[in-house]
Structure formats: structure tokens, C-alpha cells
Amino acid sequence: MASIRKRGSSYLIVVSMGYDYNGKRIKPQQKTVHPPEELTPRQVEKWLNEQAVLFERECRHAPQPVQQLTLAKYIDLWLTDIAPGKLAKSTIRRDRQDIERILPALGHYKLTELRPEHFRNFYAELRKVISPDTKKPLSEYTIEGVYATLCSILSDAVEGGFLSHNPAWRTYRYAGRKCEKKIADEETAQKIITALEGESIKYETYFKLIIATGMRRGECCGLKWCDIDWEQRSIHICRNAVKVTDEEIFVKEPKTRAGDRYVYFSAEMESLLREYRQECAYITETYDQRKLTTDDFLFRRQGAQLPMTPTTFTYRFKLILKKNGLPQELNVHSLRHTAASLMIAGGTDVATVAGILGHSQPSTTLDIYTHAFDKNKKAASAELQGMLEI
């Protein structure tokens, strides 16, 4: 709240600017004003209050000079004014976790003082941090995520004119070897499919859809009956169900244009989907006292027009694996990786696999599934050498 002090015939308005990240008080903003002479004392009081409110608003929203702006202050600005218009709530919540690691180490630096060595030293220190949950050092995946968050924040600073370049760019290098994705081989995939046939038709349909199409778990939860073209045996993937902690589940559009795509299913999958639709129609009429519509979600929360939460299927899948003696390191996302690997093993080209998975660039698919393509290269090389020997 601004304070007003009388100084002869003028008044001084003072706005406190709080404290910086190190606890040092920021210099208050001041402004001298002269009320119009024709005003009565009561009108002067009202006029001064209005000027105080306007000046405080101006001070709160005016950006600090770029030379004085710290990373901590810019992140405050970014979280308030920039991130909500660009990122999903779930992404912001995840970024906040990274920001809690960033601020103690780098928050006091002015944006214009940040150098690549600051970030490299920061990543080295992060590798020494012990996670309170696992009692082990932070995973390289976590550190890579912090780097991505820093790059995103500082890229917006460049776009906003606060920086001429992104000082965090290319400051991170993965330590050690990247772990291969958790993928079920063909034999294990077949065992999973067999195990699913002993589950309720809802879970059987959900997990088989992911194995058949490689869609993400949130994309599968976001499917509506109107997305299925029975004649073409295709599914339009055009939304994603997201659950943020302490908030109701919501549905959003795919993050990229490539995420809005069509995938196709077999005659066997069509038979399962039609059987599942009959089950959904019966449940809707029995418990909701209405007809199933094309606007209903395939995997709907009973009694509501909301999709089921993706973590429900994560928990269920773990139970299925445990009950059937299947590898416990697998998860729902492993089914997506398995679908991709089986497509690649079958000779599907990288551009087609990228389109089915919803990757923006085929290079993303190559990077993630290098091991699968390498196996194809070895097989092709062996086949070629065999031909030469003949």
C-alpha cells in the first residue's frame, strides 16, 4: 500500500517495492504531486488516494531496468504474465518443481550476468543432491528436465527483449549412458495381451488400444465415441485428458499439430470396440438413466461427463502385471513404446511411425527408438552379407 506524506504545498507518494531474493530491501519508488488549487480538503484527500493507487499500479507493473533484473525477479514475471498464456497447467506445475531447484543457486544473478559456466556448475552440483524420496542422487532425467525449463524461461526472456541471446543454450550434456525405454518384447507383449483377456472389457479395451495404436494414456482417456470412424476403422486423436494435483481433470487439445492425427485399427479391434460400446450403453442406461451419445468419452467416469483419470489405468496396469507374473518395470507408457518398436521391427519407415505416434519430427522418433532401428540395420546388414556369400 502506498503512503502519502505532505511536504509544504505538495505531497510525496512512496511505494514500497519489497525485498529481493537475497532479502535485501529494494529501493522504494517515489513521486511528488501537486493537487489542483480549486479542490476542497475532502476532494484533495480523494484525489491523493486516486493518485496513490495509480502510481502503485504503475510501479507494480513496470518492468525493472534490464540491467537490474535478476533471474528470480524475471521468473516471478514469467510465472505471472508469460507462462499461463503459453503452457498447460500441468506443465507449469512441473516447471515450478524445477524452479525450486533453480532459484537458490541462480536466482540472485542478474539476467545480463548469466554465463554458460554458471549453468554447468549448477548441473554438477545437482548431481550431488540426494533425493529425499529415493535416498539416491537425482536422476539424470531430472537434471535434463531442469535444463529444459531454464532454456524455456530464458528463451522467453530473449523474445521479450530482456536478453540478446539464451545463455543456457547447449550448456547441458547428458552424464553417463541413457537408459533404453522400457519395452516389452514380442513374447512379453503377447503374454500381456493374453492377461488382458482375463480383465474387465473396459481395461482390456483401453490397454489393447494403446498396444494397437501407440497413443498416449491421456489421449486414450480423452477419446469420445464420435472420434471413431467405423467404416474406415480409424480413430481421430484430437484431445488429451490431464489431471493436475488438487484440481479437477480437464481435456485440452494436443500440444502440437502432429498430435492431432488419425490411427487405424484391425477387424479384431473393431469387434472388441463394438462389444465395449454395448457394455457402455447398458451401463449408461442402467445407472445414468439416459442413452449413450457420440459425445460421451469411451472411458468415462460413471455419473459424470468427465473422462477417467489416466493414473487409474496406471495403477490397474501394475496390478495386472503383478497378478500375471509379468515384468514389474513396465508401465502404461511402455505399451506405447512397445507398439512403436513392433512397428519398426515390422519394417515400417520412420516417417510413418512418427506420424502414428504424433511426433512433430521424424528425428524425435529416431532419437527415442535408435535401438530398435539399430536392430533393423543389423538384420538388413546380415541379410545383405548372406546374399553376397551366395
Side-chain angles (χ1 to χ4, degrees):
M1 182 69 181
S3 63
I4 304 170
R5 303 171 191 170
K6 186 171 177 25
R7 285 189 170 181
S9 61
S10 65
Y11 292 82
L12 181 68
I13 301 175
V14 181
V15 176
S16 173
M17 300 303 292
Y19 296 84
D20 64 17
Y21 190 73
N22 292 316
K24 185 178 179 181
R25 187 176 182 181
I26 300 171
K27 183 179 178 180
Q29 297 295 306
Q30 300 180 358
K31 180 180 181 180
T32 300
V33 295
H34 297 80
E37 293 180 359
E38 67 274 10
L39 299 183
T40 66
R42 189 178 184 87
Q43 289 173 330
V44 168
E45 183 181 353
K46 183 178 179 182
W47 183 87
L48 285 171
N49 287 332
E50 288 175 351
Q51 295 304 307
V53 169
L54 291 172
F55 182 54
E56 183 171 17
R57 188 178 300 168
E58 180 184 327
C59 292
R60 300 297 183 198
H61 291 85
Q64 293 184 22
V66 173
Q67 292 80 3
Q68 302 301 319
L69 191 65
T70 64
L71 177 60
K73 278 293 181 183
Y74 177 73
I75 286 177
D76 283 342
L77 171 69
W78 184 81
L79 286 171
T80 303
D81 299 341
I82 300 172
K86 297 184 68 172
L87 304 176
K89 289 181 179 179
S90 54
T91 303
I92 295 174
R93 183 175 287 263
R94 186 171 62 246
D95 286 351
R96 283 184 181 275
Q97 294 174 347
D98 293 333
I99 288 168
E100 287 177 4
R101 303 184 197 279
I102 294 167
L103 289 181
L106 302 173
H108 61 285
Y109 283 103
K110 295 174 184 177
L111 285 182
T112 51
E113 292 177 342
L114 288 168
R115 298 290 181 267
E117 56 268 24
H118 294 145
F119 300 106
R120 296 191 186 103
N121 293 336
F122 172 51
Y123 306 140
E125 290 302 314
L126 279 182
R127 292 188 176 100
K128 301 175 184 177
V129 174
I130 303 299
S131 169
D133 297 326
T134 63
K135 309 303 180 186
K136 297 178 181 178
L138 294 179
S139 70
E140 199 63 28
Y141 177 80
T142 298
I143 298 169
E144 188 175 18
V146 172
Y147 161 72
T149 299
L150 269 168
C151 281
S152 175
I153 291 172
L154 292 176
S155 288
D156 286 334
V158 173
E159 188 177 321
F162 294 95
L163 288 170
S164 60
H165 69 286
N166 189 336
W169 185 245
R170 295 183 179 178
T171 56
Y172 170 82
R173 182 173 294 176
Y174 199 95
R177 296 180 60 186
K178 286 195 174 184
C179 298
E180 287 191 359
K181 300 294 181 184
K182 297 169 185 173
I183 297 173
D185 57 29
E186 195 168 348
E187 181 183 350
T188 303
Q190 190 55 58
K191 288 180 180 178
I192 291 173
I193 291 170
T194 301
L196 292 175
E197 289 167 358
E199 299 296 316
S200 71
I201 192 168
K202 174 173 65 181
Y203 292 114
E204 180 185 0
T205 305
Y206 179 89
F207 294 122
K208 282 188 175 181
L209 265 177
I210 293 179
I211 295 172
T213 65
M215 70 177 79
R216 301 174 178 88
R217 61 175 193 166
E219 291 173 337
C220 201
C221 286
L223 291 178
K224 292 185 176 183
W225 290 107
C226 59
D227 298 327
I228 298 178
D229 185 330
W230 299 101
E231 191 172 323
Q232 298 294 324
R233 282 191 194 144
S234 70
I235 298 174
H236 183 195
I237 299 175
C238 56
R239 66 186 72 82
N240 188 34
V242 179
K243 179 69 173 72
V244 177
T245 306
D246 300 327
E247 292 187 23
E248 186 57 273
I249 191 168
F250 63 95
V251 177
K252 64 172 187 171
E253 295 179 353
K255 283 195 285 190
T256 63
R257 186 182 301 176
D260 190 323
R261 64 198 189 278
Y262 288 86
V263 293
Y264 298 86
F265 53 86
S266 65
E268 291 79 10
M269 194 73 232
E270 178 187 2
S271 177
L272 179 61
L273 280 168
R274 288 189 181 278
E275 184 181 350
Y276 176 58
R277 193 181 189 285
Q278 289 180 347
E279 174 80 4
C280 290
Y282 170 77
I283 291 173
T284 303
E285 288 182 23
T286 304
Y287 297 99
D288 293 359
Q289 305 296 310
R290 65 175 180 83
K291 297 284 186 181
L292 184 72
T293 71
T294 57
D295 198 47
D296 279 317
F297 291 100
L298 267 71
F299 305 99
R300 180 175 63 86
R301 193 181 302 174
Q302 190 172 307
Q305 287 290 69
L306 292 170
M308 292 178 65
T309 305
T311 50
T312 299
F313 294 98
T314 300
Y315 174 73
R316 176 62 62 171
F317 189 63
K318 285 296 183 183
L319 291 180
I320 293 171
L321 292 175
K322 186 175 182 180
K323 183 169 68 174
N324 293 275
L326 294 165
Q328 292 293 294
E329 66 270 15
L330 297 176
N331 53 42
V332 177
H333 206 65
S334 299
L335 301 181
R336 171 175 162 84
H337 295 318
T338 300
S341 294
L342 291 176
M343 283 186 267
I344 293 165
T348 307
D349 64 274
V350 62
T352 301
V353 176
I356 292 172
L357 296 179
H359 289 159
S360 299
Q361 301 290 337
S363 58
T364 304
T365 312
L366 276 171
D367 183 49
I368 296 174
Y369 301 105
T370 298
H371 62 285
F373 284 105
D374 283 346
K375 289 176 183 176
N376 273 9
K377 290 175 189 175
K378 290 178 183 177
S381 179
E383 185 178 344
L384 179 61
Q385 289 175 25
M387 291 171 63
L388 290 173
E389 289 172 2
I390 293 172

